[in-house]
Amino acid sequence: MSETLSYFRQDRLPHIWCPGCGHGTITGALVRAIDRLGLDKNKIMLVSGIGCSSRAVGYLDFDTLHTAHGRALAFATGLKVARPDLKVIVMTGDGDCTAIGGNHFIHAARRNIDITTIVMNNNIYGMTSGQYSPMTPKGMLATTAPYGNSERDFDLAELAKAAGATYVARGTSFHVPMLIELLEQALQNKGFSVVEALSQCPTYMGRKNKIGSAVDMLEWIKGRTVNAKAAAALPPEKVQGKLLIGELHKSSQPEYCDEYLKATAKVRRAWKNIDGGLRGCEQNSD
Amino acid sequence: MSDKKFYRHLIRERYCKGCNICVAYCPKKVLELKDGKVFAARPDDCIGCLMCELRCPDFAIEVKPRDAAASDGADERVVDLQVPPEAHDA
Ligand SMILES: Cc1ncc(C[n+]2csc(CCOP(=O)(O)OP(=O)(O)O)c2C)c(N)n1
Ligand code: SF4
Ligand code: SF4
């Protein structure tokens, strides 16, 4: 970590997350994945929305954008189209990504734009003190679900897959070595990659549902997940009702920026650099 | 036992929030909390699995290899807190 600590804005640490909050573990896993791949720090853009999870980018020493609630993917899409040479990573929460930002998520996946999205899913709105989110399991308590959440469980990975994402995985803040590997794979995929990282919010999810300490929450996460590879060999009753973790989907599809550049090749002005330069097109000459 | 490896624990006390995750998941029970901060009570038992380092949400603990002889007192009371822990690796 001493080496990876150089990816942090160390003057901003320690961070504001509560003791035992899983968001720090997931942020650490992302940095380790970036470090292992040896990616150039100056070629990475981190984009986030609003939420405890979205605070992550403020601690990381890359070019970062902390945008409006739910809009991280909208900003990231613009960025990637303008600068396809950059590696764009979105850090978002379950509320940010699946509630207010749900539509952006669907369309980013549909376009298969080369963005890696890491959804820090603590099954609740942490920052605004524990309202239920689309990812809150049925029956669990939240400040806005005092009698238990009556909405059905929702599988974000299935949504991502159906909408057209080309890499979909689920990890947790308990299975950290696996999470690092999944993030490495996601970062290497050219196309829209989603890693849903289950996280723990001891302060709201934990307290509201009397799950206990951060360690008890990690045990809770461990108990509700099963390795996707192992699941194939397990009897159905052991897999029933559990979330699969590991790589869930991978495919190869044309990437949005490539397709866009192809479609606009004839009418595009050739840019030598960001300050302009050579203009190579007959049309639109002003 | 001659090929036993030894480790030391670089602890950033300022970052540690005493959440107990590292203490609970250390398979060799090397770590303990004292006054709300972690410290390596039995560093010689460490097997270098990195479970504490990877799961710590606060980037507060790191495991580094060390020579068997160079055991540097486990108790943080002997550590000068004015010196940042990374300085020993410089
Ligand atoms: C447009 C808008 N609506 C509502 C809010 C209030 N708000 C701030 S954070 C948040 C939810 C964040 O939840 P999540 O994305 O799950 O992140 P967590 O805090 O759980 O990590 C909401 C509703 C806002 N900031 N902006
Ligand atoms: S409120 Fe929950 S999500 Fe937010 S920092 Fe605290 S534990 Fe983490
Ligand atoms: S996991 Fe990190 S923050 Fe929690 S007690 Fe251990 S060193 Fe401190």
Side-chain angles (χ1 to χ4, degrees), chain A residues 170-226:
Chain A
R170 186 183 288 120
T172 81
S173 52
F174 177 79
H175 308 87
V176 185
M178 177 203 247
L179 181 61
I180 298 173
E181 266 165 49
L182 295 173
L183 287 168
E184 270 184 75
Q185 294 295 323
L187 287 167
Q188 283 171 293
N189 176 51
K190 188 167 167 68
F192 192 65
S193 317
V194 181
V195 177
E196 177 189 347
L198 301 183
S199 182
Q200 73 275 14
C201 170
T203 303
Y204 291 109
M205 193 64 183
R207 269 203 312 200
K208 268 274 155 205
N209 292 282
K210 301 203 165 39
I211 301 175
S213 65
V215 176
D216 296 323
M217 287 208 81
L218 284 171
E219 288 299 312
W220 173 67
I221 290 178
K222 183 175 149 194
R224 61 197 286 260
T225 51
V226 56

Short mmCIF file of all heavy atoms in Angstrom, two decimals, chain A residues 170-226:
data_model
loop_
_atom_site.label_atom_id
_atom_site.label_comp_id
_atom_site.label_asym_id
_atom_site.label_seq_id
_atom_site.Cartn_x
_atom_site.Cartn_y
_atom_site.Cartn_z
N ARG A 170 -19.63 -9.22 -10.15
CA ARG A 170 -20.03 -8.77 -8.82
C ARG A 170 -18.97 -9.21 -7.82
O ARG A 170 -18.52 -10.37 -7.86
CB ARG A 170 -21.39 -9.35 -8.43
CG ARG A 170 -21.94 -8.80 -7.12
CD ARG A 170 -23.25 -9.43 -6.69
NE ARG A 170 -24.38 -9.00 -7.51
CZ ARG A 170 -25.14 -9.82 -8.22
NH1 ARG A 170 -24.89 -11.10 -8.26
NH2 ARG A 170 -26.15 -9.36 -8.92
N GLY A 171 -18.54 -8.29 -6.98
CA GLY A 171 -17.58 -8.62 -5.93
C GLY A 171 -18.09 -8.08 -4.60
O GLY A 171 -19.21 -7.57 -4.53
N THR A 172 -17.28 -8.19 -3.58
CA THR A 172 -17.69 -7.68 -2.27
C THR A 172 -16.49 -7.08 -1.54
O THR A 172 -15.34 -7.34 -1.90
CB THR A 172 -18.27 -8.79 -1.37
OG1 THR A 172 -17.19 -9.51 -0.78
CG2 THR A 172 -19.17 -9.76 -2.12
N SER A 173 -16.79 -6.34 -0.49
CA SER A 173 -15.71 -5.79 0.34
C SER A 173 -15.16 -6.85 1.28
O SER A 173 -14.22 -6.60 2.02
CB SER A 173 -16.21 -4.59 1.14
OG SER A 173 -17.39 -4.96 1.85
N PHE A 174 -15.76 -8.04 1.28
CA PHE A 174 -15.22 -9.16 2.07
C PHE A 174 -14.20 -9.94 1.25
O PHE A 174 -13.12 -10.24 1.73
CB PHE A 174 -16.36 -10.09 2.54
CG PHE A 174 -15.87 -11.28 3.29
CD1 PHE A 174 -15.50 -11.18 4.62
CD2 PHE A 174 -15.73 -12.51 2.66
CE1 PHE A 174 -15.01 -12.27 5.32
CE2 PHE A 174 -15.23 -13.61 3.35
CZ PHE A 174 -14.89 -13.49 4.69
N HIS A 175 -14.57 -10.23 -0.02
CA HIS A 175 -13.68 -11.02 -0.89
C HIS A 175 -12.76 -10.07 -1.66
O HIS A 175 -12.93 -9.88 -2.87
CB HIS A 175 -14.50 -11.87 -1.86
CG HIS A 175 -15.56 -12.72 -1.20
ND1 HIS A 175 -16.82 -12.25 -0.92
CD2 HIS A 175 -15.53 -13.99 -0.74
CE1 HIS A 175 -17.54 -13.21 -0.34
NE2 HIS A 175 -16.77 -14.28 -0.21
N VAL A 176 -11.78 -9.47 -0.97
CA VAL A 176 -11.01 -8.40 -1.60
C VAL A 176 -10.08 -8.88 -2.71
O VAL A 176 -10.04 -8.26 -3.78
CB VAL A 176 -10.24 -7.57 -0.54
CG1 VAL A 176 -9.56 -6.39 -1.19
CG2 VAL A 176 -11.19 -7.08 0.54
N PRO A 177 -9.32 -9.98 -2.53
CA PRO A 177 -8.46 -10.40 -3.64
C PRO A 177 -9.27 -10.64 -4.93
O PRO A 177 -8.83 -10.29 -6.02
CB PRO A 177 -7.83 -11.70 -3.13
CG PRO A 177 -7.86 -11.57 -1.63
CD PRO A 177 -9.13 -10.83 -1.34
N MET A 178 -10.46 -11.22 -4.77
CA MET A 178 -11.32 -11.45 -5.95
C MET A 178 -11.78 -10.12 -6.54
O MET A 178 -11.77 -9.95 -7.77
CB MET A 178 -12.54 -12.28 -5.54
CG MET A 178 -13.50 -12.50 -6.68
SD MET A 178 -15.16 -12.84 -6.09
CE MET A 178 -15.35 -14.51 -6.57
N LEU A 179 -12.12 -9.17 -5.69
CA LEU A 179 -12.58 -7.87 -6.18
C LEU A 179 -11.48 -7.19 -7.00
O LEU A 179 -11.74 -6.60 -8.05
CB LEU A 179 -13.01 -6.99 -5.00
CG LEU A 179 -13.53 -5.60 -5.34
CD1 LEU A 179 -14.77 -5.67 -6.20
CD2 LEU A 179 -13.83 -4.81 -4.06
N ILE A 180 -10.24 -7.29 -6.53
CA ILE A 180 -9.12 -6.67 -7.26
C ILE A 180 -9.00 -7.31 -8.65
O ILE A 180 -8.86 -6.61 -9.66
CB ILE A 180 -7.80 -6.82 -6.48
CG1 ILE A 180 -7.91 -6.09 -5.13
CG2 ILE A 180 -6.62 -6.27 -7.28
CD1 ILE A 180 -6.72 -6.31 -4.19
N GLU A 181 -9.11 -8.64 -8.71
CA GLU A 181 -9.02 -9.32 -9.99
C GLU A 181 -10.15 -8.92 -10.94
O GLU A 181 -9.94 -8.69 -12.12
CB GLU A 181 -9.05 -10.83 -9.80
CG GLU A 181 -7.68 -11.44 -9.71
CD GLU A 181 -7.72 -12.85 -9.17
OE1 GLU A 181 -8.52 -13.65 -9.67
OE2 GLU A 181 -6.96 -13.13 -8.23
N LEU A 182 -11.37 -8.83 -10.40
CA LEU A 182 -12.52 -8.45 -11.22
C LEU A 182 -12.32 -7.03 -11.77
O LEU A 182 -12.62 -6.76 -12.93
CB LEU A 182 -13.81 -8.52 -10.41
CG LEU A 182 -14.23 -9.91 -9.94
CD1 LEU A 182 -15.42 -9.82 -9.00
CD2 LEU A 182 -14.56 -10.82 -11.12
N LEU A 183 -11.80 -6.15 -10.92
CA LEU A 183 -11.57 -4.77 -11.37
C LEU A 183 -10.50 -4.72 -12.45
O LEU A 183 -10.62 -3.97 -13.42
CB LEU A 183 -11.19 -3.88 -10.18
CG LEU A 183 -12.36 -3.55 -9.25
CD1 LEU A 183 -11.87 -2.92 -7.95
CD2 LEU A 183 -13.36 -2.62 -9.93
N GLU A 184 -9.49 -5.57 -12.30
CA GLU A 184 -8.45 -5.63 -13.34
C GLU A 184 -9.06 -6.04 -14.68
O GLU A 184 -8.76 -5.45 -15.71
CB GLU A 184 -7.39 -6.67 -12.94
CG GLU A 184 -6.25 -6.11 -12.14
CD GLU A 184 -5.21 -7.19 -11.88
OE1 GLU A 184 -4.47 -7.53 -12.80
OE2 GLU A 184 -5.19 -7.71 -10.74
N GLN A 185 -9.90 -7.08 -14.64
CA GLN A 185 -10.56 -7.54 -15.86
C GLN A 185 -11.43 -6.45 -16.45
O GLN A 185 -11.43 -6.20 -17.65
CB GLN A 185 -11.45 -8.76 -15.57
CG GLN A 185 -10.70 -10.01 -15.15
CD GLN A 185 -9.82 -10.53 -16.26
OE1 GLN A 185 -10.20 -10.48 -17.42
NE2 GLN A 185 -8.63 -10.99 -15.92
N ALA A 186 -12.19 -5.79 -15.59
CA ALA A 186 -13.11 -4.74 -16.04
C ALA A 186 -12.33 -3.61 -16.71
O ALA A 186 -12.74 -3.08 -17.74
CB ALA A 186 -13.92 -4.22 -14.87
N LEU A 187 -11.20 -3.25 -16.11
CA LEU A 187 -10.42 -2.13 -16.66
C LEU A 187 -9.81 -2.49 -18.01
O LEU A 187 -9.53 -1.62 -18.83
CB LEU A 187 -9.30 -1.74 -15.68
CG LEU A 187 -9.76 -1.00 -14.42
CD1 LEU A 187 -8.65 -0.95 -13.38
CD2 LEU A 187 -10.24 0.40 -14.75
N GLN A 188 -9.61 -3.79 -18.24
CA GLN A 188 -9.00 -4.21 -19.50
C GLN A 188 -10.02 -4.40 -20.61
O GLN A 188 -9.65 -4.50 -21.77
CB GLN A 188 -8.22 -5.50 -19.29
CG GLN A 188 -6.89 -5.26 -18.61
CD GLN A 188 -6.23 -6.57 -18.22
OE1 GLN A 188 -6.72 -7.28 -17.35
NE2 GLN A 188 -5.16 -6.91 -18.88
N ASN A 189 -11.31 -4.48 -20.26
CA ASN A 189 -12.33 -4.69 -21.28
C ASN A 189 -12.58 -3.41 -22.06
O ASN A 189 -12.79 -2.35 -21.46
CB ASN A 189 -13.63 -5.15 -20.61
CG ASN A 189 -14.76 -5.30 -21.60
OD1 ASN A 189 -14.62 -5.95 -22.62
ND2 ASN A 189 -15.88 -4.66 -21.30
N LYS A 190 -12.56 -3.48 -23.38
CA LYS A 190 -12.89 -2.30 -24.18
C LYS A 190 -14.39 -2.32 -24.44
O LYS A 190 -14.87 -3.07 -25.27
CB LYS A 190 -12.10 -2.29 -25.49
CG LYS A 190 -12.27 -0.98 -26.24
CD LYS A 190 -11.26 -0.84 -27.35
CE LYS A 190 -11.60 0.30 -28.30
NZ LYS A 190 -11.50 1.63 -27.76
N GLY A 191 -15.09 -1.52 -23.70
CA GLY A 191 -16.55 -1.49 -23.76
C GLY A 191 -17.07 -1.12 -22.39
O GLY A 191 -16.30 -0.78 -21.50
N PHE A 192 -18.39 -1.20 -22.22
CA PHE A 192 -18.96 -0.81 -20.93
C PHE A 192 -18.81 -1.96 -19.93
O PHE A 192 -19.33 -3.05 -20.14
CB PHE A 192 -20.42 -0.42 -21.10
CG PHE A 192 -20.99 0.26 -19.88
CD1 PHE A 192 -20.51 1.50 -19.47
CD2 PHE A 192 -22.00 -0.33 -19.14
CE1 PHE A 192 -21.02 2.13 -18.35
CE2 PHE A 192 -22.52 0.30 -18.01
CZ PHE A 192 -22.03 1.54 -17.62
N SER A 193 -18.07 -1.70 -18.86
CA SER A 193 -17.81 -2.72 -17.85
C SER A 193 -18.44 -2.30 -16.53
O SER A 193 -18.31 -1.16 -16.12
CB SER A 193 -16.31 -2.89 -17.60
OG SER A 193 -15.62 -2.89 -18.82
N VAL A 194 -19.11 -3.23 -15.90
CA VAL A 194 -19.75 -2.95 -14.62
C VAL A 194 -19.23 -3.91 -13.57
O VAL A 194 -19.25 -5.12 -13.77
CB VAL A 194 -21.28 -3.13 -14.71
CG1 VAL A 194 -21.94 -2.80 -13.38
CG2 VAL A 194 -21.86 -2.27 -15.82
N VAL A 195 -18.75 -3.37 -12.46
CA VAL A 195 -18.45 -4.22 -11.30
C VAL A 195 -19.31 -3.73 -10.16
O VAL A 195 -19.18 -2.60 -9.70
CB VAL A 195 -16.96 -4.18 -10.91
CG1 VAL A 195 -16.71 -5.02 -9.66
CG2 VAL A 195 -16.09 -4.66 -12.06
N GLU A 196 -20.26 -4.58 -9.76
CA GLU A 196 -21.07 -4.24 -8.59
C GLU A 196 -20.30 -4.75 -7.38
O GLU A 196 -20.05 -5.94 -7.26
CB GLU A 196 -22.44 -4.93 -8.68
CG GLU A 196 -23.30 -4.67 -7.46
CD GLU A 196 -24.58 -5.52 -7.42
OE1 GLU A 196 -24.94 -6.13 -8.44
OE2 GLU A 196 -25.18 -5.56 -6.35
N ALA A 197 -19.90 -3.83 -6.51
CA ALA A 197 -19.14 -4.23 -5.32
C ALA A 197 -20.03 -4.08 -4.10
O ALA A 197 -20.36 -2.96 -3.71
CB ALA A 197 -17.88 -3.38 -5.20
N LEU A 198 -20.42 -5.19 -3.50
CA LEU A 198 -21.25 -5.12 -2.30
C LEU A 198 -20.42 -4.51 -1.17
O LEU A 198 -19.29 -4.89 -0.95
CB LEU A 198 -21.75 -6.50 -1.89
CG LEU A 198 -22.58 -7.26 -2.93
CD1 LEU A 198 -23.05 -8.59 -2.35
CD2 LEU A 198 -23.78 -6.45 -3.38
N SER A 199 -21.03 -3.54 -0.48
CA SER A 199 -20.32 -2.79 0.54
C SER A 199 -21.14 -2.82 1.83
O SER A 199 -22.31 -3.19 1.80
CB SER A 199 -20.15 -1.35 0.04
OG SER A 199 -19.42 -0.58 0.96
N GLN A 200 -20.51 -2.44 2.94
CA GLN A 200 -21.29 -2.40 4.18
C GLN A 200 -21.41 -0.97 4.70
O GLN A 200 -20.44 -0.23 4.69
CB GLN A 200 -20.72 -3.33 5.24
CG GLN A 200 -19.43 -2.89 5.92
CD GLN A 200 -18.19 -3.29 5.13
OE1 GLN A 200 -18.26 -3.67 3.97
NE2 GLN A 200 -17.03 -3.19 5.76
N CYS A 201 -22.62 -0.62 5.13
CA CYS A 201 -22.87 0.67 5.78
C CYS A 201 -23.29 0.35 7.21
O CYS A 201 -24.47 0.16 7.48
CB CYS A 201 -23.97 1.44 5.04
SG CYS A 201 -24.57 2.90 5.92
N PRO A 202 -22.31 0.24 8.12
CA PRO A 202 -22.67 -0.13 9.50
C PRO A 202 -23.55 0.93 10.14
O PRO A 202 -24.38 0.61 10.99
CB PRO A 202 -21.32 -0.22 10.21
CG PRO A 202 -20.26 -0.14 9.18
CD PRO A 202 -20.86 0.45 7.95
N THR A 203 -23.38 2.18 9.73
CA THR A 203 -24.08 3.28 10.39
C THR A 203 -25.58 3.26 10.15
O THR A 203 -26.37 3.45 11.07
CB THR A 203 -23.46 4.62 9.92
OG1 THR A 203 -22.08 4.58 10.22
CG2 THR A 203 -24.10 5.80 10.63
N TYR A 204 -26.01 3.02 8.91
CA TYR A 204 -27.46 3.03 8.64
C TYR A 204 -28.03 1.65 8.36
O TYR A 204 -28.92 1.18 9.06
CB TYR A 204 -27.80 4.03 7.53
CG TYR A 204 -27.58 5.43 8.04
CD1 TYR A 204 -26.52 6.20 7.58
CD2 TYR A 204 -28.40 5.94 9.03
CE1 TYR A 204 -26.29 7.47 8.10
CE2 TYR A 204 -28.17 7.20 9.56
CZ TYR A 204 -27.13 7.96 9.08
OH TYR A 204 -26.90 9.19 9.61
N MET A 205 -27.50 0.96 7.34
CA MET A 205 -28.00 -0.39 7.03
C MET A 205 -27.83 -1.30 8.25
O MET A 205 -28.73 -2.04 8.64
CB MET A 205 -27.23 -0.95 5.84
CG MET A 205 -27.85 -2.18 5.23
SD MET A 205 -29.46 -1.79 4.55
CE MET A 205 -29.97 -3.39 4.01
N GLY A 206 -26.65 -1.23 8.85
CA GLY A 206 -26.34 -2.10 9.97
C GLY A 206 -27.19 -1.80 11.19
O GLY A 206 -27.78 -2.69 11.80
N ARG A 207 -27.27 -0.53 11.55
CA ARG A 207 -28.00 -0.17 12.77
C ARG A 207 -29.50 -0.37 12.62
O ARG A 207 -30.16 -0.92 13.49
CB ARG A 207 -27.71 1.28 13.14
CG ARG A 207 -26.54 1.42 14.08
CD ARG A 207 -26.60 2.70 14.84
NE ARG A 207 -26.87 3.81 13.92
CZ ARG A 207 -26.61 5.08 14.21
NH1 ARG A 207 -26.08 5.38 15.35
NH2 ARG A 207 -26.88 6.03 13.35
N LYS A 208 -30.06 0.08 11.46
CA LYS A 208 -31.51 -0.04 11.24
C LYS A 208 -31.95 -1.50 11.33
O LYS A 208 -33.01 -1.82 11.83
CB LYS A 208 -31.86 0.48 9.83
CG LYS A 208 -32.22 1.93 9.81
CD LYS A 208 -33.69 2.13 10.11
CE LYS A 208 -33.90 3.51 10.67
NZ LYS A 208 -35.09 3.62 11.52
N ASN A 209 -31.12 -2.39 10.77
CA ASN A 209 -31.51 -3.80 10.70
C ASN A 209 -30.87 -4.63 11.81
O ASN A 209 -30.94 -5.86 11.77
CB ASN A 209 -31.14 -4.37 9.32
CG ASN A 209 -31.99 -3.74 8.22
OD1 ASN A 209 -33.14 -4.12 8.06
ND2 ASN A 209 -31.44 -2.78 7.51
N LYS A 210 -30.25 -3.95 12.76
CA LYS A 210 -29.61 -4.63 13.91
C LYS A 210 -28.70 -5.76 13.46
O LYS A 210 -28.71 -6.85 14.02
CB LYS A 210 -30.69 -5.15 14.87
CG LYS A 210 -31.59 -4.04 15.42
CD LYS A 210 -32.24 -4.44 16.73
CE LYS A 210 -32.84 -3.28 17.50
NZ LYS A 210 -33.53 -2.24 16.75
N ILE A 211 -27.91 -5.49 12.42
CA ILE A 211 -26.98 -6.52 11.94
C ILE A 211 -25.76 -6.57 12.85
O ILE A 211 -25.17 -7.62 13.05
CB ILE A 211 -26.56 -6.26 10.47
CG1 ILE A 211 -27.80 -6.23 9.57
CG2 ILE A 211 -25.59 -7.32 9.97
CD1 ILE A 211 -27.54 -5.85 8.14
N GLY A 212 -25.41 -5.40 13.42
CA GLY A 212 -24.28 -5.40 14.37
C GLY A 212 -23.12 -4.57 13.86
O GLY A 212 -23.30 -3.59 13.14
N SER A 213 -21.90 -5.00 14.21
CA SER A 213 -20.69 -4.25 13.89
C SER A 213 -20.32 -4.40 12.41
O SER A 213 -20.96 -5.15 11.67
CB SER A 213 -19.54 -4.78 14.72
OG SER A 213 -19.27 -6.12 14.32
N ALA A 214 -19.26 -3.72 12.01
CA ALA A 214 -18.75 -3.84 10.64
C ALA A 214 -18.38 -5.29 10.33
O ALA A 214 -18.64 -5.79 9.24
CB ALA A 214 -17.54 -2.93 10.45
N VAL A 215 -17.80 -5.97 11.32
CA VAL A 215 -17.42 -7.38 11.11
C VAL A 215 -18.68 -8.23 10.92
O VAL A 215 -18.72 -9.09 10.03
CB VAL A 215 -16.57 -7.89 12.31
CG1 VAL A 215 -16.27 -9.36 12.15
CG2 VAL A 215 -15.29 -7.08 12.44
N ASP A 216 -19.72 -7.98 11.73
CA ASP A 216 -20.98 -8.72 11.55
C ASP A 216 -21.56 -8.47 10.16
O ASP A 216 -22.14 -9.36 9.54
CB ASP A 216 -22.00 -8.31 12.61
CG ASP A 216 -21.55 -8.68 14.01
OD1 ASP A 216 -20.93 -9.75 14.15
OD2 ASP A 216 -21.79 -7.91 14.95
N MET A 217 -21.40 -7.23 9.67
CA MET A 217 -21.92 -6.92 8.33
C MET A 217 -21.15 -7.66 7.25
O MET A 217 -21.72 -8.10 6.25
CB MET A 217 -21.87 -5.42 8.07
CG MET A 217 -22.90 -4.65 8.86
SD MET A 217 -23.38 -3.15 8.01
CE MET A 217 -24.56 -3.75 6.83
N LEU A 218 -19.82 -7.78 7.43
CA LEU A 218 -19.03 -8.53 6.46
C LEU A 218 -19.47 -10.00 6.47
O LEU A 218 -19.54 -10.64 5.42
CB LEU A 218 -17.54 -8.40 6.77
CG LEU A 218 -16.92 -7.06 6.37
CD1 LEU A 218 -15.50 -6.93 6.91
CD2 LEU A 218 -16.89 -6.90 4.85
N GLU A 219 -19.77 -10.53 7.65
CA GLU A 219 -20.26 -11.91 7.75
C GLU A 219 -21.62 -12.04 7.04
O GLU A 219 -21.91 -13.04 6.40
CB GLU A 219 -20.39 -12.33 9.21
CG GLU A 219 -19.06 -12.57 9.90
CD GLU A 219 -18.25 -13.69 9.25
OE1 GLU A 219 -18.79 -14.77 9.01
OE2 GLU A 219 -17.05 -13.45 8.97
N TRP A 220 -22.44 -10.99 7.17
CA TRP A 220 -23.74 -10.97 6.51
C TRP A 220 -23.57 -11.01 5.00
O TRP A 220 -24.23 -11.79 4.28
CB TRP A 220 -24.51 -9.72 6.97
CG TRP A 220 -25.81 -9.47 6.26
CD1 TRP A 220 -26.93 -10.24 6.33
CD2 TRP A 220 -26.12 -8.37 5.38
NE1 TRP A 220 -27.93 -9.68 5.56
CE2 TRP A 220 -27.47 -8.53 4.97
CE3 TRP A 220 -25.40 -7.26 4.92
CZ2 TRP A 220 -28.10 -7.64 4.10
CZ3 TRP A 220 -26.04 -6.37 4.07
CH2 TRP A 220 -27.37 -6.57 3.66
N ILE A 221 -22.62 -10.21 4.50
CA ILE A 221 -22.35 -10.19 3.06
C ILE A 221 -21.83 -11.55 2.60
O ILE A 221 -22.28 -12.10 1.59
CB ILE A 221 -21.33 -9.07 2.71
CG1 ILE A 221 -21.98 -7.70 2.89
CG2 ILE A 221 -20.78 -9.24 1.30
CD1 ILE A 221 -21.06 -6.53 2.63
N LYS A 222 -20.94 -12.11 3.38
CA LYS A 222 -20.37 -13.43 3.06
C LYS A 222 -21.50 -14.46 2.97
O LYS A 222 -21.53 -15.29 2.04
CB LYS A 222 -19.39 -13.81 4.16
CG LYS A 222 -18.65 -15.09 3.96
CD LYS A 222 -17.64 -15.23 5.10
CE LYS A 222 -17.38 -16.65 5.49
NZ LYS A 222 -16.66 -16.71 6.80
N GLY A 223 -22.44 -14.39 3.90
CA GLY A 223 -23.52 -15.37 3.95
C GLY A 223 -24.53 -15.25 2.82
O GLY A 223 -25.21 -16.22 2.49
N ARG A 224 -24.64 -14.06 2.23
CA ARG A 224 -25.66 -13.92 1.19
C ARG A 224 -25.08 -14.02 -0.22
O ARG A 224 -25.76 -13.74 -1.20
CB ARG A 224 -26.47 -12.62 1.37
CG ARG A 224 -25.68 -11.33 1.32
CD ARG A 224 -26.47 -10.19 1.92
NE ARG A 224 -27.54 -9.74 1.04
CZ ARG A 224 -27.48 -8.66 0.25
NH1 ARG A 224 -26.41 -7.91 0.25
NH2 ARG A 224 -28.48 -8.34 -0.52
N THR A 225 -23.81 -14.41 -0.32
CA THR A 225 -23.20 -14.54 -1.65
C THR A 225 -22.64 -15.95 -1.84
O THR A 225 -22.33 -16.64 -0.88
CB THR A 225 -22.03 -13.54 -1.82
OG1 THR A 225 -21.15 -13.69 -0.70
CG2 THR A 225 -22.51 -12.12 -1.89
N VAL A 226 -22.52 -16.33 -3.10
CA VAL A 226 -21.88 -17.61 -3.42
C VAL A 226 -21.09 -17.43 -4.72
O VAL A 226 -21.52 -16.71 -5.62
CB VAL A 226 -22.92 -18.76 -3.48
CG1 VAL A 226 -24.02 -18.46 -4.47
CG2 VAL A 226 -22.28 -20.08 -3.79
#
